[in-house]
Amino acid sequence: MPIKLRVATFNLENLDDKPRQTPTLEERIAVMRPQLLRLNADILCLQEVNGQEETGQPRRLLSLERLVEGTPYAEYHTVSTMTADGTQVYDERNLVMLSRYEISEHYQYKHDHAPAPWYQKVTAEPQEVEAKEVKWERPIQHARVKLDQNRFFQVINLHLKSRLPSNIEGQKLNTFTWKTACGWAEGFFVSSMKRVGQALEVRMLIDKLFDEDEDALIVVCGDFNAESDEVPVEAIRGDVENTGNGKLSRRVLVPCEQTIPEPSRFSMLHIGQGRMIDYLLVSRSLLAYYTGSDIHNELLHDESIAFATDKKYPESDHAPVIAEFELP
């Protein structure tokens, strides 16, 4: 019998259960649980899943447990990013993978493949006198999913640095107001450096997997915070048009959403414009079994409109993206 596989990625936008938060977790669950059921995913990659604490217990994904309660996902194999000591999940923005199939191995990487670059800020007040490491905040999640006795599925889940500028000491009047345009520009540059650095580390991991097996079944899922023609996405894809080396063609990753009609090809709305920033990229070996994609963006709200705040909408400002495969 063929294996029919649905893989989905979804940024839940800070799923949490803080006191007096608006909307409440219950209000969010009422809207988002049907979204998850509609996905009907065999492998579900999630971003921005916050951790919760109970007295005397390590931090856990209690909000996510409540979200999937009563759904098939509650019985799935589940792995999450963890703090450096491995004792608990992060306070904020965990990466989580849920799989109907056994997860035989799982890892997380942060500066394991790509060391942090060094940079000396030029607009900081007081000005930096020497370069410092620029580390990205979030790790990359990688799991080896066992499809059957002989085949494994390599799944990479990621959340690249947002476009929001990084802090530059002495260059902000308050949380939302910059003192100078050049300070904002340098903050944006530092964030871009983190985003592209994460993409480099992802690509180095992908090449390592191809070194082990050039026919590897690889899918890279997540929130890239970049559109298809921007450097982070191009770095991970590894198109021959960029490398100029046809011998690397088997190592190119292909974006599944390309088969979706362009008017519907967006996972976020910003100033009335649809933007594609959430992706499933697949290896050529996996592309052979690809049957189609979908983006559930029918009810997506414009995240940039002044009144479109978390207090108004319980939904995520990202749309889930799904790809289907049928393996013999």
Side-chain angles (χ1 to χ4, degrees):
M1 290 289 290
I3 297 175
K4 294 186 177 181
L5 199 63
R6 282 176 64 87
V7 183
T9 181
F10 192 11
N11 183 326
L12 299 183
E13 194 190 357
N14 292 310
L15 182 72
D16 211 335
D17 189 21
K18 293 179 180 177
R20 298 181 297 279
Q21 77 175 22
T22 307
T24 64
L25 178 61
E26 288 72 18
E27 290 170 329
R28 299 202 71 191
I29 287 173
V31 172
M32 298 177 75
R33 186 178 287 162
Q35 285 185 291
L36 295 185
L37 288 171
R38 181 188 175 195
L39 291 177
N40 191 29
D42 298 296
I43 299 174
L44 177 58
C45 292
L46 302 173
Q47 302 87 43
E48 293 201 23
V49 183
N50 293 352
Q52 293 75 43
E53 297 178 5
E54 289 181 330
T55 304
Q57 298 291 324
R59 193 183 301 117
R60 294 179 292 159
L61 301 175
L62 301 178
S63 292
L64 180 62
E65 289 177 13
R66 289 175 60 187
L67 175 62
V68 302
E69 189 177 277
T71 75
Y73 301 111
E75 305 301 322
Y76 278 25
H77 304 275
T78 303
V79 293
S80 168
T81 47
M82 304 286 286
T83 54
D85 59 10
T87 60
Q88 58 185 349
V89 300
Y90 288 103
D91 183 32
E92 295 182 328
R93 297 184 178 87
N94 288 281
L95 299 170
V96 182
M97 200 179 298
L98 300 95
S99 175
R100 186 190 306 274
Y101 296 90
E102 177 189 348
I103 297 174
S104 60
E105 301 172 42
H106 63 95
Y107 313 92
Q108 66 184 53
Y109 309 102
K110 190 172 76 168
H111 302 300
D112 294 271
H113 300 287
W118 290 73
Y119 175 71
Q120 183 177 347
K121 295 175 183 175
V122 295
T123 66
E125 296 179 357
Q127 188 171 348
E128 288 188 352
V129 296
E130 59 182 19
K132 297 179 181 178
E133 282 186 308
V134 179
K135 295 184 177 181
W136 29 97
E137 293 83 8
R138 294 185 283 265
I140 302 158
Q141 185 183 37
H142 167 219
R144 197 165 179 252
V145 177
K146 187 176 182 179
L147 297 179
D148 55 31
Q149 286 300 110
N150 302 310
R151 282 182 299 186
F152 292 86
F153 203 51
Q154 305 284 359
V155 186
I156 299 170
N157 184 16
L158 57 90
H159 185 188
L160 301 188
K161 178 73 178 77
S162 73
R163 292 168 174 266
L164 293 175
S166 296
N167 183 55
I168 304 296
E169 292 74 9
Q171 282 290 342
K172 298 190 79 171
L173 299 175
N174 56 48
T175 304
F176 303 105
T177 310
W178 287 84
K179 187 165 68 174
T180 66
C182 61
W184 172 88
E186 185 168 32
F188 189 80
F189 170 67
V190 172
S191 290
S192 300
M193 197 184 333
K194 292 178 182 179
R195 189 162 55 253
V196 176
Q198 284 178 281
L200 167 62
E201 185 157 34
V202 173
R203 185 64 230 191
M204 293 177 76
L205 169 60
I206 293 165
D207 281 346
K208 181 176 180 291
L209 296 176
F210 278 131
D211 287 342
E212 296 168 359
D213 177 9
E214 201 149 50
D215 293 318
L217 302 175
I218 300 174
V219 60
V220 180
C221 308
D223 176 2
F224 288 47
N225 273 307
E227 298 196 70
S228 60
D229 59 349
E230 294 184 273
V231 173
V233 181
E234 291 194 342
I236 294 172
R237 286 172 57 169
D239 292 345
V240 170
E241 289 84 350
N242 289 331
T243 65
N245 187 348
K247 293 180 179 179
L248 297 176
S249 61
R250 291 179 65 189
R251 296 185 171 218
V252 171
L253 296 188
V254 183
C256 291
E257 88 283 348
Q258 295 283 31
T259 60
I260 297 174
E262 193 169 352
S264 301
R265 198 185 302 158
F266 62 92
S267 62
M268 175 177 277
L269 280 174
H270 183 77
I271 318 179
Q273 196 75 24
R275 297 180 56 217
M276 190 69 200
I277 64 172
D278 301 89
Y279 296 92
L280 288 108
L281 308 181
V282 300
S283 60
R284 284 181 180 266
S285 298
L286 184 56
L287 185 65
Y289 308 118
Y290 172 68
T291 59
S293 282
D294 199 3
I295 306 173
H296 294 173
N297 53 19
E298 302 91 341
L299 296 173
L300 203 56
H301 295 290
D302 194 320
E303 57 87 31
S304 62
I305 297 175
F307 58 82
T309 66
D310 286 346
K311 292 183 179 181
K312 186 173 179 67
Y313 299 125
E315 301 96 323
S316 171
D317 57 12
H318 292 251
V321 183
I322 311 99
E324 291 186 314
F325 307 89
E326 186 169 325
L327 290 82

